Amino acid sequence: MDKPSTLFTGIFGAFLVSTSVMVLLPNSQLSGLQPQIVWEEGQNSPSDMYPVKIEHSLGHRHGERIYVENGCYYCHTQDIRDPQFGPDIERGWGARRTVARDFIYNDTPLLGATRMGPDLGNYGWRDSEGKRFWRNEQPNDPTKPAVRDAAFIYKHLFNPRARTEASNCPSNPGLFEKHDIGAGVSPDAVAVEGKKQWLPTAAARNLAAYLLSLDRSHELKEAPVAKSKEAKK
Amino acid sequence: MTDSQTILLATLPSPPAKAALPPSSIAPAKVAAPAKPAEPQHSNEAIERSIIDQSARGPVLTFFSTAIFWLLVSTVLGYIASKRLHDPDFILGPEWLYRMLGVDGLFRSIFDSNFTYGRVWPAYNTALIYGWCSLAGMGVATWLIGRLCRVAIQAPAVLQLGAWFWNAGVAVGVIMILGGHNTGLEYFEMVRGARVLMFIGYLCIGIWGLILFRYKRTVAPYISVSYLVAGFFLFPWFFGAADLLSSAPTPGVMKNVVNAWYQGGLFNLWFGCLGLASAYYFIPKVINKPIYSYNLAKIGFWGWVFLGGLTAMTKLSGGPVPAYLVTISVAASILSIIPIACLTVNIGRTMIGHTDKMASSPTLRFTYVGTVFFAIAAGLGVLGALRGVDSFTHFTTWDYGVKHTLLMGFFSMVMFGAIYYITPRLVGCEWLSRTFIKLHFLGTAYGGATIIALFLFGGLAAGFTLNESAVDASPSNPGREFIFTNVMANGGWQHVIRTYIGYVFFGVAQIIFAIHFIFMRLRIGQPAGEPTLMSNPGEAH
């Protein structure tokens, strides 16, 4: 065995090396990140700024919380990678790769663990017609609606298998409540049982709002929007 | 004593006198004779060893029992998580019974909201990593330090207290995760309160580890000592730093970087070091022959300790982090071939001519197979770090496969081997049944290997389809995009086999093991003195 002094010094040295290279160094680089600001001449306020620190409404934060609580990030990433790493952009998951600057206002960026389901990092991003579909979904395919709005998300959250038989995205009946059908079936209702309808709770509404707010397509100088195939769409 | 040691130890409380200790209100340890390290010089070695074993008895058995409890919990959770992937709306247990008892509605709602994949999976990992693996590892390490430094534990109650704090932390963590309190950081999902409890527990345990080392009377020439010190010393730094930095209000991807860094420390340094310490002790011990090369072991040790903390960023390759982090990790991974090779050659060489002993000694069989799994896990880690491989395996279950090779294949196996060796020496009787041990081995090895293989191959398969170009797809030829919409139809078989063969075999084996261990604690077993071998030495070959 080494002398105890050598042993302890060595082990502590290993820790120091690891910490400085893997934590302190990137921290010095990342902690200074600011939003990208564009000034136009003669203006006294920036004409463009990204990302914007909206004082996220309680609802939005709550939605993100629900996303974490239910472990959506084990199956869904929010991390679009450069084309050299895989066809993320080709699939229509995002307009460009995600970079550190996208997350400067995120408490815990939910980059995600696996892609058992599709990437959701730009779920709220829409094409010029206000539509959203994965790259190889055909706009007129009835089983895959091109419009992904809150009502669509509610249905999906309530029971993903209603639309996609072989999906293993978990159903979350806990996010819905039974209500009486008073004046009529609400457009948000996900199921009707006799005189009752299932309606989203506040948690489900906030989660849907959160998902629809995900849009990291704003052009950044370190991550230009990929033009080629997207433009042809 | 050298200077740096003085500095280090100055921060530790001096070993408290017996009277100053907290009353051992929880599970009082029955210490036969308070060992006085100064005395037993003239007594012979066997008596001294039994005194040391007696002093370790209470805490080590507490570690083992609670660890085995968590092992069972985690296997059940693992089964649920795995089954959720091919049968997302199932309920565990006989529904007709629930209906008869009128609790079916309750079960349904608990299962629907608290046991979805996104909650059971982290709960499973927490129970496995912090429950079973860490507790078993600390139990074995406590015993090993006493043995290797030839000191008796003077305040077993402190260790017991530590063990219970740690357990409470894990319990809070797991329950809160199921209840929806998740930090959003993989392998670090426990809420802050749980982490604090665990940390307090660790301080009671780890400081004792270091104090024992400080009061060593001799140090047996085992590289295990270095590994133990490294594991015990590094873990609190990684854990504490990760805790502070993850709770800090600084937003941004630094949290993900810290999390990846912490995972490196957790898997490579904490589990790697504790497991290897045990392997390097028990293999030479059982075959009664020193390790092939001490110098090789030393190179392996230093290589592993320095590189282990640097390899983790491959987890973020292609992600929104500085690219050099990933580059460094890839380089460190490739370099870590050196320590891995040192270890493999060393253990392989030591075992030459002794592999037949595996047929009879459960300790050797578990430990050796575990060590082989270490080489595989580390090798897969290196392979997965390579850019060409990573481009397929990233964001798939491949990573789970590598982690399970380390946790189930390597660490658990080595811990089982150690528990089979240590427990008889603490309770004073030998294991009851060699059939039980055999079944345990078979279930663990084949169940574990199935789980691992399917995570790896499932990951590769998903990776290839994920990487396929999506552009030519059309409704008639929907392309591979729809691995997602067809998870259960196309890739479902892997989840099915993993659940019904992997987790069921593994789980049954652990139930057998748990029953066997309970027998030991009740002192139902063979008379002490003759170790329970898996076959009579004569008939082994």
Side-chain angles (χ1 to χ4, degrees):
Chain A
M1 212 204 62
D2 294 289
K3 278 207 324 254
S5 52
T6 328
L7 191 59
F8 276 105
T9 323
I11 293 170
F12 197 63
F15 177 75
L16 282 186
V17 171
S18 162
T19 323
S20 5
V21 176
M22 310 262 99
V23 178
L24 300 180
L25 196 61
N27 189 46
S28 67
Q29 210 174 341
L30 291 171
S31 60
L33 267 183
Q34 296 296 330
Q36 170 176 296
I37 298 175
V38 180
W39 293 87
E40 245 145 68
E41 241 169 281
Q43 305 267 288
N44 47 10
S45 65
S47 63
D48 182 49
M49 183 157 130
Y50 176 84
V52 204
K53 182 169 191 177
I54 9 170
E55 269 321 317
H56 281 319
S57 61
L58 263 178
H60 178 101
R61 280 179 172 273
H62 186 216
E64 188 170 14
R65 233 9 274 159
I66 304 287
Y67 187 92
V68 180
E69 272 180 15
N70 291 299
C72 309
Y73 72 96
Y74 294 100
C75 295
H76 292 288
T77 52
Q78 295 191 23
D79 180 4
I80 309 296
R81 295 171 303 163
D82 192 82
Q84 54 167 321
F85 284 90
D88 299 5
I89 294 174
E90 206 177 275
R91 280 176 191 283
W93 282 344
R96 58 163 175 82
R97 64 165 298 194
T98 35
V99 289
R101 205 194 293 265
D102 285 319
F103 296 101
I104 51 177
Y105 296 129
N106 270 63
D107 246 1
T108 306
L110 300 164
L111 302 182
T114 70
R115 279 183 175 164
M116 256 180 254
D119 190 285
L120 300 178
N122 286 285
Y123 202 71
W125 172 54
R126 295 287 179 277
D127 72 2
S128 49
E129 293 159 49
K131 285 184 178 158
R132 168 82 174 113
F133 43 86
W134 309 133
R135 176 71 206 175
N136 59 346
E137 276 178 25
Q138 301 306 308
N140 46 10
D141 181 349
T143 61
K144 316 260 163 29
V147 179
R148 267 133 172 138
D149 52 9
F152 171 85
I153 295 179
Y154 298 146
K155 292 213 176 64
H156 178 82
L157 289 177
F158 186 67
N159 181 10
R161 278 158 291 289
R163 182 181 60 103
T164 324
E165 208 184 315
S167 165
N168 64 6
C169 195
S171 29
N172 300 282
L175 296 179
F176 297 85
E177 282 166 350
K178 260 188 202 167
H179 289 273
D180 284 323
I181 305 182
V185 179
S186 143
D188 287 342
V190 288
V192 179
E193 275 171 29
K195 289 213 180 76
K196 303 261 185 185
Q197 58 176 343
W198 286 87
L199 289 180
T201 57
R205 287 182 195 280
N206 291 333
L207 177 54
Y210 165 71
L211 287 175
L212 291 172
S213 78
L214 293 173
D215 181 351
R216 301 186 177 108
S217 60
H218 192 287
E219 179 118 26
L220 283 178
K221 62 176 187 302
E222 68 269 35
V225 169
K227 284 273 151 42
S228 56
K229 282 160 189 150
E230 279 307 303
K232 278 186 244 144
K233 187 161 66 177
Chain B
M1 194 159 65
T2 52
D3 287 346
S4 67
Q5 214 183 350
T6 326
I7 292 165
L8 176 83
L9 287 162
T11 62
L12 307 175
S14 55
K18 264 233 124 189
L21 289 169
S24 44
S25 48
I26 321 154
K30 286 174 204 72
V31 183
K36 294 189 191 70
E39 235 175 44
Q41 281 148 345
H42 18 260
S43 59
N44 71 40
E45 229 175 275
I47 296 179
E48 184 198 85
R49 257 196 235 134
S50 90
I51 291 175
I52 295 172
D53 282 351
Q54 274 313 309
S55 74
R57 184 177 182 277
V60 173
L61 285 180
T62 309
F63 279 121
F64 287 173
S65 317
T66 51
I68 293 169
F69 166 77
W70 285 113
L71 176 62
L72 296 181
V73 170
S74 76
T75 334
V76 174
L77 293 174
Y79 172 84
I80 300 176
S82 183
K83 191 159 177 184
R84 280 281 181 204
L85 288 182
H86 57 84
D87 186 1
D89 293 316
F90 90 109
I91 288 193
L92 187 72
E95 265 185 89
W96 56 268
L97 183 70
Y98 300 154
R99 232 171 285 131
M100 224 167 71
L101 299 173
V103 289
D104 54 330
L106 179 72
F107 262 79
R108 173 55 63 206
S109 79
I110 291 181
F111 251 74
D112 277 345
S113 44
N114 296 327
F115 286 85
T116 54
Y117 177 78
R119 291 194 187 185
V120 229
W121 176 252
Y124 157 67
N125 275 316
T126 306
L128 182 68
I129 291 174
Y130 298 100
W132 154 246
C133 289
S134 295
L135 280 164
M138 291 189 285
V140 170
T142 310
W143 186 84
L144 276 180
I145 294 181
R147 264 290 167 101
L148 289 167
C149 304
R150 288 175 58 202
V151 276
I153 297 171
Q154 289 159 43
V158 177
L159 278 170
Q160 298 256 16
L161 195 70
W164 288 112
F165 260 102
W166 182 279
N167 268 292
V170 179
V172 171
V174 169
I175 292 171
M176 294 298 258
I177 289 171
L178 290 175
H181 294 266
N182 185 317
T183 56
L185 298 166
E186 232 192 335
Y187 303 114
F188 205 63
E189 292 99 345
M190 311 80 75
V191 287
R192 188 99 201 257
R195 302 198 304 253
V196 170
L197 282 174
M198 287 163 69
F199 198 76
I200 295 175
Y202 183 81
L203 288 184
C204 303
I205 300 158
I207 283 183
W208 265 105
L210 292 177
I211 288 177
L212 282 184
F213 180 72
R214 157 78 178 73
Y215 282 92
K216 64 190 178 295
R217 297 200 302 122
T218 55
V219 170
Y222 278 94
I223 191 77
S224 303
V225 179
S226 309
Y227 275 113
L228 285 174
V229 173
F232 263 107
F233 186 66
L234 286 173
F235 178 72
W237 286 96
F238 275 90
F239 191 81
D243 175 69
L244 289 179
L245 295 170
S246 322
S247 319
T250 44
V253 288
M254 241 348 257
K255 287 218 173 120
N256 303 72
V257 173
V258 168
N259 184 242
W261 168 80
Y262 168 74
Q263 286 180 29
L266 179 71
F267 289 102
N268 295 339
L269 298 177
W270 176 234
F271 292 130
C273 286
L274 291 189
L276 291 179
S278 177
Y280 266 125
Y281 179 79
F282 286 110
I283 290 179
K285 191 88 196 166
V286 174
I287 64 178
N288 202 6
K289 173 187 147 192
I291 197 82
Y292 166 69
S293 157
Y294 192 78
N295 282 333
L296 211 54
K298 235 163 110 171
I299 301 174
F301 169 75
W302 285 115
W304 189 250
V305 165
F306 267 91
L307 295 171
L310 294 174
T311 60
M313 295 298 161
T314 51
K315 183 121 190 117
L316 297 173
S317 75
V321 297
Y324 66 83
L325 285 178
V326 181
T327 314
I328 293 174
S329 281
V330 173
S333 294
I334 293 172
L335 278 179
S336 72
I337 291 176
I338 298 170
I340 299 166
C342 290
L343 174 102
T344 316
V345 170
N346 215 350
I347 301 270
R349 279 291 180 137
T350 312
M351 282 292 285
I352 283 181
H354 296 276
T355 39
D356 53 314
K357 290 209 181 97
M358 279 207 297
S360 56
S361 161
T363 301
L364 188 62
R365 191 189 294 193
F366 276 98
T367 310
Y368 183 61
V369 171
T371 320
V372 173
F373 269 113
F374 176 81
I376 299 176
L380 288 172
V382 177
L383 193 68
L386 302 177
R387 181 62 193 282
V389 181
D390 179 74
S391 68
F392 287 117
T393 57
H394 207 75
F395 290 142
T396 69
T397 56
W398 167 274
D399 185 51
Y400 295 159
V402 178
K403 302 244 148 92
H404 276 72
T405 319
L406 195 94
L407 292 175
M408 277 185 171
F410 159 62
F411 197 78
S412 300
M413 279 291 199
V414 170
M415 287 302 121
F416 291 139
I419 291 176
Y420 277 121
Y421 187 93
I422 297 171
T423 317
R425 286 164 174 77
L426 301 181
V427 300
C429 68
E430 293 290 337
W431 296 94
L432 180 65
S433 154
R434 74 168 66 138
T435 317
F436 274 20
I437 303 183
K438 272 187 190 155
L439 288 175
H440 180 218
F441 179 80
L442 290 177
T444 312
Y446 288 95
T450 310
I451 296 172
I452 291 164
L454 285 164
F455 272 136
L456 292 175
F457 287 117
L460 276 182
F464 280 116
T465 38
L466 263 175
N467 252 12
E468 236 160 65
S469 170
V471 171
D472 333 312
S474 66
S476 56
N477 170 30
R480 302 306 193 81
E481 157 84 2
F482 295 112
I483 53 163
F484 298 126
T485 47
N486 265 320
V487 192
M488 291 176 331
N490 289 345
W493 57 271
Q494 39 151 322
H495 304 309
V496 175
I497 301 176
R498 194 172 61 237
T499 313
Y500 293 126
I501 299 189
Y503 279 101
V504 168
F505 275 42
F506 190 84
V508 169
Q510 305 324 325
I511 292 174
I512 295 175
F513 175 58
I515 294 174
H516 212 178
F517 186 82
I518 292 173
F519 277 149
M520 283 298 268
R521 293 225 48 181
L522 300 174
R523 289 168 153 269
I524 301 174
Q526 313 282 352
E530 297 153 52
T532 307
L533 301 175
M534 287 155 104
S535 63
N536 294 325
E539 72 192 36
H541 43 113

